[in-house]
Amino acid sequence: MDPTTGAITVGALLDRETLASYVLICKAIDQGAPALTGTATLTVGINDLNDNPPVFINEPYADTLLENVTVPISLFTMAATDADQGVNARLLFSIVSGNGQAKFHLDPVTGVFSLVATLDRDTTPSYSVVIKVTDGGSPALTDQTTVSVTVLDVNDNAPAFVAAVNGLMTFYIGESASPGDVVGSLVALDPDYGNNGKVSYTLNDTLVGTDNHFVIRDVSQGDISVNNGISLDREKVNNYLLVVIACDAGTDPGPLCSQVQVNVLLQDANDNRPIFDQILYQADVSEDKPVDYVVLQVVAHDNDAVNNGAVAYSLKLPSGSTAAQFFVIHPSTGIVSLKQQLDRETTDRFSFNVVATDNGNTALSSSTSVVITVKDVNDNAPTFNPDFIVAAVAYNDDNKILSTLSATDPDLEAGSKVTYKFYKKADDFELEQNAGTVKVIVGRQLKVDSTYELQFVAADNGYPTMTSSPARLRVDAFDSNTKLLSVDLSMSEEQFAAKTALFESSMAKQYATKYPKVRVIIYDVIRRTYDGSTSTTAAPTGRKKRATTDGHRITVRFFVVQDSADGELTDTSKARSFVPNSDALPAITDPQKTSGCSSANANVQAAFPEIITTCSQRDTNATSDDTPWISTTTGIAVTTVVCVLAVAIIVAIIVLIWCCCFSKKRPGTPVKPYVSPQATSPEPEKTFKESNDLRREIQTPSKVEVVIEERRPQNDFRPLRRPAVLKPEKEDYYDGRAVDPATGKVYEFNSKTNERRWLQTPEGGAVMSDVESESFKYE
């Protein structure tokens, strides 16, 4: 207080909240003496200033809630104080942060803090909400506090599998996997806390595939592995569908579970080789088929997949095979087709292998056999070999086979069957079209020392018919009396056939000095008949000497040509150089005899000791004949006459017998037969008819009466008697009896149906008629 002025001033800071008012006793003293004093009481009230912020009390604010607590629920009433007064002490509450999900509500006046939304510990296990209190001063002062809410877990979530799509997961594993190999790992998450979120795994079921091939060894881990002792085979089971269950360890409520289907796909390993559908493929193909013609198709299957199961085909040929020249195989389809046209006559059968190889990293393969038979078509004409032939024949020998043509056709069946015909007409010669033998026509004589050229073609019987190029036959006709020599040999035809070349060469040596290129040609070989002088067995007797069948003596007729090259004389204007008998015979006979027959000279005997005699051309008709007598002209004529006479005699005898038998023919006399007692109808009308074969005719089959006509001598017919011991089986059915004229057997008949049956004795024999004794007899 100013002592002079009395002004009272604040001497120190005031704090209303410490002392809200002051009572001052003021004293005034004057300058007198004694100074007088006066006192006054001064009360000073302190006006409030907002100098104190609000302050939360009852801290800390914290609570623990189950996540399934029922809402809404009041958790706290926020409390704060403010030392100020009045407006400055008026408080308002608000949430500053931590309520982003709007889970909580704070009454701004009362400060009641409430839970207004459900909690999910799995989403937010705890909340920290900042609360602010603000006074009403100006400027306003504030205070903050934090409300902590901890959410306690409730087992309200089942485990959920990670990466499952629509409840399905897929794993891949090679079929070559070993036991214990992990197929895949499952992960299931449970957002619950503690045991409520602890997950265990169980392989519950196998929906597809074989049970127990897979296992979960550690239930706390979701690893699926191949079970012990299991060998996977994709070709048997290519996929498995498993059911795996994941459960938590919650108790309130009990464990919650979920499941997932696991599709295990086996990846292929190249463990199967291609297998052909057949172990042998066979096909027939005509040799005229064009290039690219499909012969056959082989098919192989590989049970592996993708590249391991992709099959490629190739040919595997044996050593020396030509199949690769003619066949090609498509590597993908296995179609075997023609690479070039076939020729059956060159190769009629092909045999090779087809290999099927897969496309695995380590390729596997197998093979099959293919046999292709080439079928014939008539694509070859017959060919003559040789196509030029030289023959010589006695001008008057019309039974001599000049040559047997030989043409071959490499085709099969009808295409290989050859027939021959003249290419140009030859008047004096005949040709057997099947055998190909060429002869002089019987009764014809050729001109001596003449040369004939015949031309022939050969045609096969195939379709279309193929015809050969012409072949030529040169025929030189000579006089056998001047050009043909003969020798008798003590040997059979078979023995001589084995020594033919030796005979020709031995005889040729006798002429070689004079004719260096000489050739001896055998004309024919004749089996001689017995003459009683040279045979060691008796000669057969008879009207004609028959040819012996022991073959121990033959006559060989031959001629000699000066130049062996004459066999190639295609020019028919040039004559063959025959050696006449006048020159040929002395070279081989006894020098003492120059004509006729004589023994061979020493040189010939030494070269061919079987020679008995040598002659000029001799008549062989009287002394030699291979033909059996019955095949000769005389034998045929005599046999024909005898046969004609025999037939005439037999015919005459038959005619005579026929005349004798039928000259006695007489018409039969009708006799009333036995009539069944059941037939009570009036006497039927009867009509009789006589015919050449003595047949009975019943004009009124409805009647029971029958007419019997028996071939007997004239006026020698007797009635037929009924055997007392026999009765018809059905007396109302068979109502008449009669005798068969041809056999004499008795039969019953039905006059309406004309049915018949033979009567038989109790022993089963036939009942015969005996007209002379007027009784029946039994066989």
Side-chain angles (χ1 to χ4, degrees):
M1 174 180 292
D2 190 312
T4 300
T5 62
I8 299 173
T9 59
V10 176
L13 292 175
L14 300 177
D15 185 3
R16 192 203 65 80
E17 289 75 27
T18 303
L19 185 61
S21 65
Y22 291 90
V23 176
L24 298 177
I25 298 175
C26 296
K27 178 173 144 183
I29 300 174
D30 59 22
Q31 295 290 328
L36 296 177
T37 61
T39 60
T41 302
L42 176 64
T43 301
V44 178
I46 304 301
N47 292 328
D48 186 52
L49 293 176
N50 194 25
D51 59 346
N52 290 283
V55 176
F56 281 98
I57 60 175
N58 299 327
E59 292 182 310
Y61 292 95
D63 200 357
T64 301
L65 299 175
L66 292 174
E67 61 179 323
N68 62 348
V69 65
T70 303
V71 294
I73 184 173
S74 297
L75 301 181
F76 307 103
T77 298
M78 306 304 296
T81 62
D82 193 325
D84 294 323
Q85 65 179 5
V87 174
N88 293 333
R90 188 182 299 167
L91 303 179
L92 292 177
F93 298 92
S94 64
I95 296 175
V96 176
S97 64
N99 194 30
Q101 298 176 353
K103 297 287 187 181
F104 304 98
H105 177 266
L106 178 62
D107 190 297
V109 176
T110 64
V112 175
F113 185 82
S114 302
L115 176 68
V116 294
T118 58
L119 299 176
D120 187 356
R121 184 204 172 280
D122 310 316
T123 303
T124 307
S126 64
Y127 296 88
S128 292
V129 182
V130 177
I131 306 297
K132 181 175 73 173
V133 61
T134 304
D135 61 21
S138 179
L141 297 178
T142 63
D143 189 17
Q144 291 185 351
T145 188
T146 300
V147 175
S148 296
V149 177
T150 301
V151 182
L152 297 179
D153 184 60
V154 175
N155 193 25
D156 59 348
N157 291 281
F161 286 93
V162 178
V165 178
N166 296 326
L168 178 66
M169 299 183 69
T170 301
F171 295 114
Y172 296 89
I173 187 172
E175 63 175 321
S176 58
S178 302
D181 288 353
V182 175
V183 176
S185 295
L186 300 175
V187 176
L189 299 179
D190 192 326
D192 292 327
Y193 181 73
N195 287 338
N196 292 338
K198 186 178 181 180
V199 179
S200 61
Y201 302 87
T202 304
L203 180 56
N204 185 57
D205 195 6
T206 301
L207 301 179
V208 176
T210 307
D211 292 336
N212 301 322
H213 276 198
F214 299 95
V215 66
I216 295 178
R217 301 181 187 280
D218 186 350
V219 295
S220 65
Q221 303 293 324
D223 295 338
I224 301 175
S225 59
V226 180
N227 204 354
N228 294 334
I230 297 301
S231 177
L232 302 177
D233 188 349
R234 189 200 65 83
E235 287 70 41
K236 293 181 179 178
V237 181
N238 61 1
N239 77 292
Y240 296 80
L241 188 59
L242 312 177
V243 176
V244 176
I245 294 179
C247 295
D248 59 29
T251 58
D252 186 19
L256 298 180
C257 300
S258 63
Q259 71 174 28
V260 68
Q261 292 185 351
V262 180
N263 190 18
V264 179
L265 299 177
L266 299 190
Q267 293 178 318
D268 186 58
N270 194 26
D271 56 350
N272 290 277
R273 64 184 63 251
I275 301 297
F276 283 95
D277 288 351
Q278 300 173 212
I279 60 174
L280 173 64
Y281 289 84
Q282 300 184 82
D284 295 340
V285 58
S286 297
E287 60 178 323
D288 61 343
K289 295 301 181 183
V291 174
D292 294 332
Y293 175 78
V294 175
V295 179
L296 57 84
Q297 182 178 18
V298 298
V299 178
H301 298 281
D302 193 319
N303 290 329
D304 293 323
V306 197
N307 289 339
N308 293 334
V311 177
Y313 302 93
S314 61
L315 298 181
K316 182 180 180 181
L317 307 179
S319 177
S321 174
T322 60
Q325 301 176 18
F326 298 96
F327 301 99
V328 65
I329 188 168
H330 193 283
S332 299
T333 64
I335 292 176
V336 178
S337 57
L338 289 181
K339 188 176 180 181
Q340 70 178 48
Q341 196 166 8
L342 300 169
D343 183 10
R344 188 205 62 81
E345 289 72 34
T346 302
T347 307
D348 62 354
R349 186 174 182 271
F350 294 90
S351 179
F352 53 86
N353 290 337
V354 172
V355 178
T357 306
D358 62 29
N359 198 29
N361 291 331
T362 302
L364 301 177
S365 63
S366 62
S367 64
T368 187
S369 298
V370 176
V371 176
I372 298 175
T373 302
V374 183
K375 305 300 287 184
D376 185 61
V377 296
N378 195 34
D379 58 347
N380 291 278
T383 56
F384 283 97
N385 186 22
D387 58 0
F388 177 75
I389 308 170
V390 175
V393 65
Y395 75 96
N396 57 350
D397 191 350
D398 59 359
N399 196 38
K400 169 73 173 174
I401 296 177
L402 304 179
S403 179
T404 299
L405 303 178
S406 176
T408 57
D409 190 321
D411 294 319
L412 298 178
E413 299 176 353
S416 66
K417 296 179 180 179
V418 176
T419 57
Y420 304 90
K421 62 181 178 180
F422 284 107
Y423 182 66
K424 292 182 179 180
K425 185 177 181 181
D427 294 334
D428 296 320
F429 300 90
E430 64 180 2
L431 169 65
E432 205 291 313
Q433 65 175 3
N434 293 318
T437 55
V438 183
K439 293 182 180 181
V440 177
I441 296 175
V442 176
R444 300 284 181 89
Q445 287 190 357
L446 305 180
K447 295 180 180 179
V448 178
D449 298 330
S450 297
T451 299
Y452 299 83
E453 181 178 298
L454 310 179
Q455 294 189 33
F456 313 91
V457 291
D460 60 30
N461 291 332
Y463 180 82
T465 300
M466 306 287 285
T467 304
S468 70
S469 300
R472 299 166 60 201
L473 172 62
R474 172 191 173 120
V475 180
D476 293 291
F478 61 84
D479 186 353
S480 60
N481 293 317
T482 61
K483 303 295 193 310
L484 202 58
L485 302 178
S486 66
V487 295
D488 290 342
L489 294 92
S490 57
M491 61 194 317
S492 66
E493 293 174 275
E494 292 75 12
Q495 292 170 334
F496 180 74
K499 293 187 174 183
T500 300
L502 176 62
F503 176 83
E504 291 177 342
S505 61
S506 299
M507 301 303 289
K509 288 179 181 179
Q510 312 308 315
Y511 307 103
T513 302
K514 187 174 181 179
Y515 306 109
K517 297 182 180 181
V518 70
R519 182 183 177 192
V520 173
I521 300 173
I522 296 174
Y523 186 71
D524 57 14
V525 178
I526 304 167
R527 184 183 303 166
R528 304 305 301 174
T529 58
Y530 286 94
D531 60 7
S533 59
T534 60
S535 177
T536 58
T537 59
T541 60
R543 294 176 298 172
K544 174 178 172 61
K545 291 183 178 181
R546 293 175 295 172
T548 179
T549 58
D550 61 9
H552 288 298
R553 184 170 180 179
I554 59 174
T555 296
V556 178
R557 298 198 296 176
F558 64 94
F559 58 87
V560 183
V561 294
Q562 298 178 19
D563 191 347
S564 59
D566 284 359
E568 301 175 1
L569 282 175
T570 58
D571 186 356
T572 56
S573 64
K574 295 181 179 181
R576 296 191 72 179
S577 56
F578 289 96
V579 177
N581 288 356
S582 58
D583 288 345
L585 187 60
I588 62 173
T589 58
D590 188 341
Q592 302 299 322
K593 192 167 184 178
T594 59
S595 63
C597 297
S598 74
S599 59
N601 61 32
N603 292 334
V604 175
Q605 288 285 352
F608 213 92
E610 292 88 348
I611 295 178
I612 302 172
T613 59
T614 61
C615 306
S616 294
Q617 201 300 114
R618 59 192 297 178
D619 180 14
T620 60
N621 293 332
T623 60
S624 68
D625 192 357
D626 293 0
T627 307
W629 173 83
I630 195 171
S631 299
T632 62
T633 303
T634 303
I636 293 172
V638 171
T639 302
T640 302
V641 171
V642 171
C643 290
V644 170
L645 290 175
V647 172
I649 293 171
I650 292 171
V651 171
I653 293 173
I654 293 173
V655 171
L656 182 61
I657 293 173
W658 185 84
C659 293
C660 291
C661 291
F662 287 91
S663 63
K664 297 181 179 181
K665 177 182 174 184
R666 294 293 186 272
T669 302
V671 180
K672 184 175 181 180
Y674 160 77
V675 179
S676 172
Q678 282 73 18
T680 58
S681 58
E683 180 74 7
E685 296 181 2
K686 297 181 288 296
T687 303
F688 302 94
K689 180 179 179 181
E690 182 177 60
S691 64
N692 291 335
D693 58 357
L694 303 181
R695 289 164 45 191
R696 168 180 45 79
E697 179 174 342
I698 302 176
Q699 297 292 344
T700 55
S702 63
K703 308 299 181 181
V704 298
E705 195 168 280
V706 69
V707 177
I708 301 175
E709 182 176 308
E710 181 79 305
R711 183 178 297 170
R712 303 289 293 172
Q714 189 174 4
N715 299 326
D716 192 14
F717 289 86
R718 297 185 179 92
L720 181 66
R721 296 178 61 188
R722 174 188 178 194
V725 296
L726 296 179
K727 292 184 178 180
E729 182 179 350
K730 294 181 180 179
E731 294 183 356
D732 60 343
Y733 189 79
Y734 295 99
D735 53 8
R737 293 185 181 177
V739 176
D740 180 69
T743 63
K745 294 182 180 180
V746 181
Y747 62 89
E748 291 182 318
F749 63 90
N750 185 302
S751 60
K752 294 182 180 180
T753 64
N754 205 23
E755 292 182 67
R756 303 178 182 182
R757 69 174 182 181
W758 299 107
L759 281 181
Q760 292 183 336
T761 65
E763 293 76 20
V767 177
M768 308 296 294
S769 67
D770 188 352
V771 179
E772 292 182 355
S773 61
E774 299 185 353
S775 64
F776 290 103
K777 63 180 180 180
Y778 304 101
E779 277 186 343

